[in-house]
Amino acid sequence: MVKDEEVDGLAKDIMTAKKVVVLSGAGMSVESNIAPFRGPGGLWEKYDPVEYGHITTLRNAPEKAWMMLSEMQREIMKAKPNKGHYALAKLEEMGHIRSIITQNVDGLHHVAGSRDVIEFHGNLQSVICMDCNYTVPSSEVSLDRIPPFCGKCNGPVKPNAVFFGEAIPSEVIKRADQESNSCDLMLVVGTSAEVQPAASMPSLAKNAGAKVVEINISETPFTGYVSDYIIKGPAGDVLEKLLNKVAALKAFG
Ligand code: NAD
Ligand code: ZN
């Protein structure tokens, strides 16, 4: 059960903050039926993401990498944003959230209507040719042949996501660093903080003087260390309550 008084406190923090930035992870999309890597029902139980999602595996054993990728892509194509994604989009529209740095590759923040989304790890909605960089929506690519091939040059294509062993594009890191360094409140939603460098964003925010608040069903390595407090509960429930509370504070003070 999500505690109302905890959500009230966060709503007040949001109302007084000048710049709120969100860092979201796989837990954000669990209520959209996309499994996280870790935890019960996680992809981890079936595949080791570091092995199957490594760029070397994609290059040297594409059938193996695409076993996990095609399963994730199928899940993501069926998924719809949940009430948490919609609440964040609405809070942005109301002027209370500036940007979202997401580790997710499902594109659901965009679908829900959030405008300033920094996709730290790219997305699985499109594929890019490893030879000529030609990019098309994933839905236009047949998985009958693995690796799928480029319609322009016949080269192998890969999801437009950052694989283990690959660098995050420098302009993406730069923007995420800037947002983390300049916010005065960071909401860390549904992430276990185990994947670097995204996991360092809360510390950047903290060191720059921001308050850091977690929303997660369980404690993480940040809890009681980087974060000021945690609201325990499913992201969708907590964020919907938060939106209602902020709207009420705005209307009635
Ligand atoms: P993770 O799988 O390591 O951790 C998920 C976190 O979410 C945990 O801390 C868990 O306690 C929490 N959680 C689970 N259900 C929740 C809920 N309903 N509400 C709130 N919190 C909940 O995920 P991660 O730290 O984001 O990192 C894993 C990497 O895997 C990321 O880089 C990401 O790109 C990738 N990934 C993405 C997706 C996606 O796009 N939806 C799914 C799986 C993995
Ligand atoms: Zn090509």
Side-chain angles (χ1 to χ4, degrees), residues 25-27 29-31 34-38 72 103-106 121 190-193 195 215-218 220 233-235:
S29 296
V30 164
E31 289 149 272
I34 302 177
F37 276 168
R38 300 170 188 84
M72 280 181 83
Q103 300 167 82
N104 295 342
V105 289
D106 54 34
H121 295 147
T191 180
S192 59
V195 182
I215 298 173
N216 201 307
I217 49 166
S218 47
T220 75

Side-chain angles (χ1 to χ4, degrees), residues 8-246:
D8 290 356
L10 178 54
K12 284 182 191 131
D13 282 341
I14 288 208
M15 293 295 285
T16 50
K18 289 193 177 68
K19 178 168 180 176
V20 183
V21 169
V22 176
L23 173 69
S24 69
M28 179 82 222
S29 296
V30 164
E31 289 149 272
S32 293
N33 295 320
I34 302 177
F37 276 168
R38 300 170 188 84
L43 270 180
W44 194 276
E45 285 176 1
K46 253 171 135 178
Y47 309 104
D48 177 349
V50 183
E51 188 188 341
Y52 283 73
H54 204 282
I55 190 66
T56 311
T57 311
L58 187 71
R59 287 187 202 284
N60 300 342
E63 334 57 52
K64 186 172 172 180
W66 276 93
M67 258 161 64
M68 182 176 85
L69 289 170
S70 50
E71 195 166 320
M72 280 181 83
Q73 237 169 18
R74 264 199 309 276
E75 244 183 5
I76 283 172
M77 276 172 173
K78 285 193 303 217
K80 294 192 172 57
N82 62 58
K83 52 195 183 180
H85 293 104
Y86 286 116
L88 289 179
K90 185 73 190 164
L91 284 165
E92 182 189 26
E93 191 190 307
M94 289 161 74
H96 292 297
I97 283 178
R98 192 71 66 81
S99 58
I100 300 175
I101 304 166
T102 188
Q103 300 167 82
N104 295 342
V105 289
D106 54 34
L108 291 179
H109 286 300
H110 279 299
V111 180
S114 286
R115 282 179 298 246
D116 195 351
V117 182
I118 303 163
E119 287 183 316
F120 214 76
H121 295 147
N123 64 69
L124 289 187
Q125 262 109 353
S126 59
V127 294
I128 181 163
C129 173
M130 290 164 89
D131 289 343
C132 77
N133 286 344
Y134 184 56
T135 305
V136 290
S138 303
S139 55
E140 289 177 19
V141 167
S142 158
L143 296 184
D144 289 347
R145 200 185 85 179
I146 298 295
F149 55 95
C150 168
K152 225 176 189 179
C153 78
N154 247 3
V157 302
K158 78 184 260 296
N160 211 350
V162 178
F163 282 67
F164 289 101
E166 278 191 310
I168 290 161
S170 57
E171 66 281 7
V172 173
I173 298 218
K174 201 169 151 203
R175 178 92 224 284
D177 279 359
Q178 271 168 358
E179 290 302 280
S180 304
N181 271 318
S182 60
C183 65
D184 58 352
L185 175 60
M186 177 174 271
L187 300 187
V188 180
V189 187
T191 180
S192 59
E194 284 173 56
V195 182
Q196 286 293 359
S200 63
M201 298 300 147
S203 306
L204 278 184
K206 180 92 187 161
N207 293 339
K211 195 176 249 192
V212 176
V213 180
E214 286 183 89
I215 298 173
N216 201 307
I217 49 166
S218 47
E219 294 190 352
T220 75
F222 290 131
T223 314
Y225 166 61
V226 175
S227 66
D228 290 86
Y229 59 93
I230 178 169
I231 300 186
K232 279 198 191 161
D237 289 353
V238 177
L239 291 169
E240 187 182 53
K241 271 185 188 242
L242 179 66
L243 169 64
N244 292 339
K245 188 68 202 169
V246 169

